[in-house]
Amino acid sequence: MTAETRSLREIAPEKLTQEEAAAELAALAAEIAAHDRAYYQEDAPTVSDAEYDALRRRNEAIEARFPELRRDDSPSRRVGAAPATGFRKVRHAVPMLSLGNAFADEDVQEFEARVRRFLSLKDEDRLEVVAEPKIDGLSCSLRYEGGRLVQAATRGDGTEGEDVTANVMTLADVPKTIADAPEVLEVRGEVYMDRAEFVKLNERRAERGEPLFANPRNAAAGSLRQLDPKVTARRPLGFFGYSWGELSSPLGDSQWAVRERLRSWGFRLNEPARLCADVQEMLDYYREIGLQRAELPFDIDGVVYKVNRLDWQDRLGFVSRAPRWAIAHKFPAEQAQTILRDIVIQVGRTGALTPVAILEPVTVGGVVVSRATLHNEDEIRRKDVRIGDTVVVQRAGDVIPQIVAVVPERRPEGATEYVFPEKCPECDSDAVRPEGEAVRRCTGGLICPAQAVERLRHFVSRDAFDIEGLGDKQIQAFFEDGRVRQPADIFTLEARERERLDKLVNKPGWGKKSVENLWRSIEARRTIALDRFIYALGIRQIGQATARLLARHYHTLEAWQKAMIEAADESTDAYAELTAIDQIGVSVARDLTAFFAEEHNLQVLERLKEQVTVEPFTAPRPVESPVSGKTVVFTGTLETMSRPEAKAKAESLGAKVAGSVSSKTDYVVVGADAGSKATKARELGVTTLTEQEWLALIGG
Ligand code: IVH
């Protein structure tokens, strides 16, 4: 916002001159469009709902005063932003509209009065209204033809959305077939994520070092708009049905009856809902839901009132972007102002440095808040948050409290810009931020206490050192009592603890036998293959496959380590050699060299090398079999084994298993219901085998 628009913004709509109003409408159009883009296309809202609604209301108020100034690009002509790219566009048969908002009780009374006036109802005429929770997710239209789900689309700009059929097909809440549906049926509703599922999803993302979703709505939007439906399938998304689009025959004569119809087809409904007889009952409902809000498993941002009789809904129709027969009664955004006492840096398990605001405790929506997330360093800079500032705190969807903005006029004199640390506050290692990433990370790896436990767990895990008897709990306990601080300590544990075995044995959950078993399984792992060893170090981005590539390429630990140290200088041959390895790119190379650039990691490695023997990588001897060296593709459902098993078997016989058929394919093994791959094989003249023929060939 420029200084000029800021001062214009302070003038009430009724006081603006025509010229000022025109300038303000232009500014509002641009600003709202930017927020829409952030919300709809990037799933990353830049303002709170309340701020956004305030902008829209201001826009509408000015337009009401100066109808002739209404712009072609006015936000009141649009519902949201145009669809993001990547999905096919879908034109909605019936536009997907939005809802007008009510904030105060009077707005609701006014809504009811407007409806009565519009329909010329008499005082004694009953006007029933359905009240239901307003779910904070994203709306979606499901199209059924002949009772089969044929298309699912997001709202997009209300006229045109995105085709998310493949993704919606993975939602358990969405019936794929409906026995007694009208020939054409469009069910509309909200895709959402339960709060508990959202928290779990974010925990998993934090473990993997992936950016976190700000709230369940963003998580739902981000999960639905995945280009790979397999990703959507793994996300815990739900769907509530509450409305409809095109229909070949009506679903009932009241909103309430349609709800029941949807329920009978297996849709989940927004609950608890209520059929209200008058405004008082509507407002009572609003209050009750407001009190239950925290206990509901999903986030809601208000309630929706809908005129129950559908013949009346038809008569009421729409104004610009919203129906006259419905309105959203929003909850006030839970915000409060307080003083920012300090900014502390938390180091996550993957080494991510997260700034946390330490606040003068303040009650926000009934909960005392004394800490809030500041997300990352860009966020601090963007909002220009300084220690000593008075800040606006918000509990977004009742989840993690956030700092929305600073109150600039209350900034104390001398408050200085916050400088984000470039050293890890836990272990003093360098904290680096790769270009293009939002997160700064500690490079301390194994020596950083914040990361150490997680790294140790990884170190002993099945695909790494595979030390039986050292589970999560034991690692945590050993770390806390100082017995195991870094990997090498595991191998010196017995020697150090032998005399004090009694102490160990007396710990809950430890008997003499389990201690002896532990010593045995540790001993058994003193010799390890290079690829496992590399993987065990827990270097970022180095999974099993990459570890194997590295082991195969460098053969010995010494050669690999030497090369990684040299490769820190990107002008060396070592760097060129590293990045020339198939599937190792610049970003993986950086993580590798960063690990070795850290003195602490070298020490950890040296100590570990004193304890264990790392075997040079030996390429598996080529297997002699009828299929060794052949490329095989499996397609369709196999009867005698699962696909992964078939793949493993083929590989153990020296065959290469590919995912798609080309002229280089030797055999295509065709199971039941095979599709295009079998056809392609025939077209290319590649030998196709039945499962039985394949088994006969490999002699199994
Ligand atoms: S009815 C023609 N009912 O709120 C209007 N919408 O702000 C049909 N929403 O686009 C919408 N819960 O995404 C309706 N119980 C509910 C709702 C609901 C959430 C969303 C929906 C809509 C937006 C409008």
Side-chain angles (χ1 to χ4, degrees):
M1 215 195 289
T2 63
E4 194 184 337
T5 51
R6 189 174 309 128
S7 54
L8 265 184
R9 194 61 47 86
E10 276 145 26
I11 306 174
E14 56 279 11
K15 301 228 169 87
L16 290 167
T17 65
Q18 193 176 30
E19 204 180 326
E20 285 168 341
E24 180 67 341
L25 287 177
L28 285 165
E31 234 174 277
I32 292 171
H35 294 320
D36 280 345
R37 263 195 310 280
Y39 184 87
Y40 289 106
Q41 292 180 358
E42 286 138 34
D43 298 323
T46 37
V47 286
S48 70
D49 286 358
E51 288 170 275
Y52 177 82
D53 287 337
L55 291 176
R56 278 201 101 115
R57 261 179 296 141
R58 181 170 171 81
N59 188 69
E60 278 163 28
I62 300 173
E63 285 181 346
R65 236 192 105 208
F66 300 100
E68 70 284 6
L69 295 182
R70 187 172 182 212
R71 303 166 58 90
D72 281 348
D73 66 349
S74 167
S76 65
R77 294 188 196 264
R78 281 180 299 117
V79 176
T85 48
F87 292 95
R88 200 173 64 86
K89 285 176 189 162
V90 174
R91 227 185 148 70
H92 298 299
V94 176
M96 289 181 79
L97 296 153
S98 186
L99 291 169
N101 288 329
F103 295 92
D105 289 1
E106 296 77 69
D107 299 340
V108 179
Q109 282 153 356
E110 172 52 29
F111 164 75
E112 202 247 16
R114 221 166 33 232
V115 169
R116 284 185 166 275
R117 268 199 311 274
F118 192 94
L119 297 170
S120 324
L121 299 185
K122 295 195 208 70
D123 285 352
E124 62 273 24
D125 288 332
R126 268 169 77 86
L127 170 60
E128 281 184 331
V129 169
V130 174
E132 34 180 61
K134 184 170 188 302
I135 311 296
D136 204 4
L138 69 157
S139 45
C140 190
S141 185
L142 313 176
R143 187 176 175 92
Y144 294 83
E145 288 174 7
R148 296 183 76 87
L149 177 61
V150 292
Q151 186 173 77
T154 63
R155 181 171 66 172
D157 66 1
T159 315
E160 209 173 59
E162 294 166 333
D163 183 345
V164 287
T165 313
N167 295 350
V168 167
M169 285 286 183
T170 70
L171 267 62
D173 277 359
V174 171
K176 312 298 177 297
T177 55
I178 297 176
D180 53 343
E183 180 53 32
V184 173
L185 163 69
E186 283 184 1
V187 175
R188 291 179 175 175
E190 203 86 349
V191 173
Y192 72 100
M193 193 178 287
D194 271 356
R195 212 168 17 237
E197 299 290 353
F198 158 74
V199 171
K200 279 194 257 164
L201 173 65
N202 259 356
E203 278 171 5
R204 289 198 297 272
R205 291 176 71 82
E207 278 171 26
R208 292 196 295 260
E210 294 167 356
L212 303 188
F213 289 115
N215 53 46
R217 202 210 81 85
N218 285 3
S223 302
L224 185 66
R225 291 156 83 250
Q226 285 288 334
L227 292 175
D228 181 359
K230 287 205 280 308
V231 177
T232 308
R234 286 196 298 267
R235 301 280 176 81
L237 292 176
F239 179 84
F240 284 118
Y242 52 64
S243 180
W244 58 92
E246 192 183 356
L247 299 172
S248 54
S249 61
L251 300 182
D253 50 22
S254 70
Q255 187 76 33
W256 197 259
V258 174
R259 277 179 64 90
E260 291 313 315
R261 193 89 190 270
L262 292 177
R263 195 199 306 278
S264 77
W265 285 334
F267 287 98
R268 194 191 285 263
L269 304 182
N270 298 22
E271 309 263 27
R274 187 178 299 167
L275 192 56
C276 302
D278 55 34
V279 177
Q280 195 48 53
E281 286 189 20
M282 290 154 67
L283 295 176
D284 289 346
Y285 172 83
Y286 174 80
R287 300 259 130 72
E288 287 169 36
I289 292 291
L291 293 174
Q292 290 173 34
R293 193 175 172 192
E295 279 98 66
L296 290 176
F298 40 80
D299 272 1
I300 61 174
D301 55 354
V303 305
V304 183
Y305 305 122
K306 300 172 181 174
V307 169
N308 191 35
R309 276 179 60 164
L310 299 189
D311 54 340
W312 286 358
Q313 287 193 5
D314 283 344
R315 280 172 57 197
L316 285 156
F318 299 84
V319 253
S320 65
R321 64 189 183 103
R324 278 197 200 83
W325 46 264
I327 196 163
H329 191 180
K330 301 288 271 289
F331 292 131
E334 297 180 315
Q335 288 191 340
Q337 290 191 3
T338 190
I339 293 168
L340 176 75
R341 290 281 174 228
D342 198 4
I343 295 176
V344 298
I345 302 292
Q346 253 173 17
V347 187
R349 290 182 290 190
T350 54
L353 269 55
T354 307
V356 178
I358 305 297
L359 305 167
E360 190 60 42
V362 62
T363 309
V364 190
V367 173
V368 178
V369 171
S370 55
R371 294 161 80 84
T373 178
L374 282 164
H375 299 290
N376 54 48
E377 52 186 303
D378 287 349
E379 194 82 358
I380 299 183
R381 196 167 314 132
R382 185 140 42 92
K383 293 179 179 157
D384 189 19
V385 181
R386 302 180 186 194
I387 294 169
D389 270 343
T390 295
V391 292
V392 179
V393 185
Q394 175 172 300
R395 284 205 306 136
D398 297 322
V399 209
I400 326 148
Q402 294 173 320
I403 304 284
V404 182
V406 171
V407 185
E409 55 277 14
R410 304 187 68 171
R411 170 162 292 166
E413 237 173 88
T416 50
E417 223 175 281
Y418 179 73
V419 183
F420 205 90
E422 293 183 357
K423 294 269 181 201
C424 171
E426 298 273 349
C427 69
D428 209 36
S429 303
D430 285 341
V432 299
R433 183 176 166 190
E435 232 180 87
E437 278 186 31
V439 181
R440 186 175 285 278
R441 277 174 210 279
C442 165
T443 54
L446 296 168
I447 71 111
C448 178
Q451 300 170 67
V453 172
E454 222 32 54
R455 295 295 189 93
L456 285 167
R457 283 181 182 157
H458 173 80
F459 184 84
V460 301
S461 67
R462 247 227 333 251
D463 297 322
F465 265 77
D466 189 21
I467 299 178
E468 249 176 79
L470 259 188
D472 285 0
K473 270 202 238 104
Q474 286 85 358
I475 286 283
Q476 183 78 42
F478 282 152
F479 185 82
E480 277 168 12
D481 63 21
R483 284 183 162 93
V484 175
R485 287 290 173 157
Q486 50 168 286
D489 297 342
I490 293 169
F491 295 95
T492 59
L493 195 57
E494 186 182 358
R496 284 183 289 128
E497 298 295 330
R498 203 173 291 130
E499 296 91 78
R500 299 193 294 156
L501 194 63
D502 289 351
K503 280 216 194 107
L504 206 56
V505 167
N506 288 337
K507 275 179 164 262
W510 284 93
K512 204 164 158 22
K513 186 122 194 92
S514 49
V515 172
E516 270 162 12
N517 283 342
L518 178 60
W519 299 158
R520 200 165 314 131
S521 53
I522 293 175
E523 271 327 291
R525 295 291 180 265
R526 272 195 198 272
T527 303
I528 187 167
L530 178 59
D531 54 334
R532 270 182 183 262
F533 183 87
I534 295 176
Y535 172 70
L537 295 177
I539 303 170
R540 273 194 86 211
Q541 302 201 67
I542 309 301
Q544 277 177 282
T546 314
R548 231 180 133 68
L549 285 175
L550 292 165
R552 188 190 303 256
H553 188 88
Y554 293 99
H555 293 290
T556 66
L557 176 58
E558 288 64 35
W560 176 59
Q561 184 172 342
K562 183 164 169 284
M564 294 306 99
I565 292 170
E566 281 173 24
D569 178 350
E570 296 187 4
S571 65
T572 56
D573 288 350
Y575 180 78
E577 184 182 335
L578 174 61
T579 49
I581 301 176
D582 188 27
Q583 293 174 55
I584 293 197
V586 174
S587 143
V588 171
R590 292 240 167 94
D591 282 332
L592 282 167
T593 53
F595 180 87
F596 283 92
E598 198 57 57
E599 188 56 33
H600 305 300
N601 288 338
L602 295 181
Q603 282 170 16
V604 164
L605 206 55
E606 285 318 305
R607 281 206 48 210
L608 185 58
K609 276 167 30 184
E610 287 165 15
Q611 298 300 325
V612 302
T613 309
V614 182
E615 290 179 324
F617 183 84
T618 42
R621 256 196 299 137
V623 193
E624 278 308 312
S625 88
V627 296
S628 54
K630 304 278 190 220
T631 300
V632 187
V633 172
F634 292 98
T635 178
T637 316
L638 302 178
E639 264 169 31
T640 61
M641 56 186 132
S642 70
R643 192 73 77 74
E645 189 187 344
K647 181 170 189 273
K649 176 81 186 164
E651 282 171 351
S652 75
L653 293 171
K656 204 173 138 207
V657 179
S660 58
V661 180
S662 74
S663 56
K664 295 205 185 91
T665 311
D666 295 292
Y667 299 115
V668 175
V669 181
V670 182
D673 301 323
S676 61
K677 287 181 198 170
T679 321
K680 182 143 187 221
R682 278 176 216 114
E683 278 167 19
L684 292 174
V686 173
T687 311
T688 61
L689 301 173
T690 65
E691 187 175 347
Q692 293 313 318
E693 286 167 339
W694 165 255
L695 291 175
L697 176 66
I698 62 174

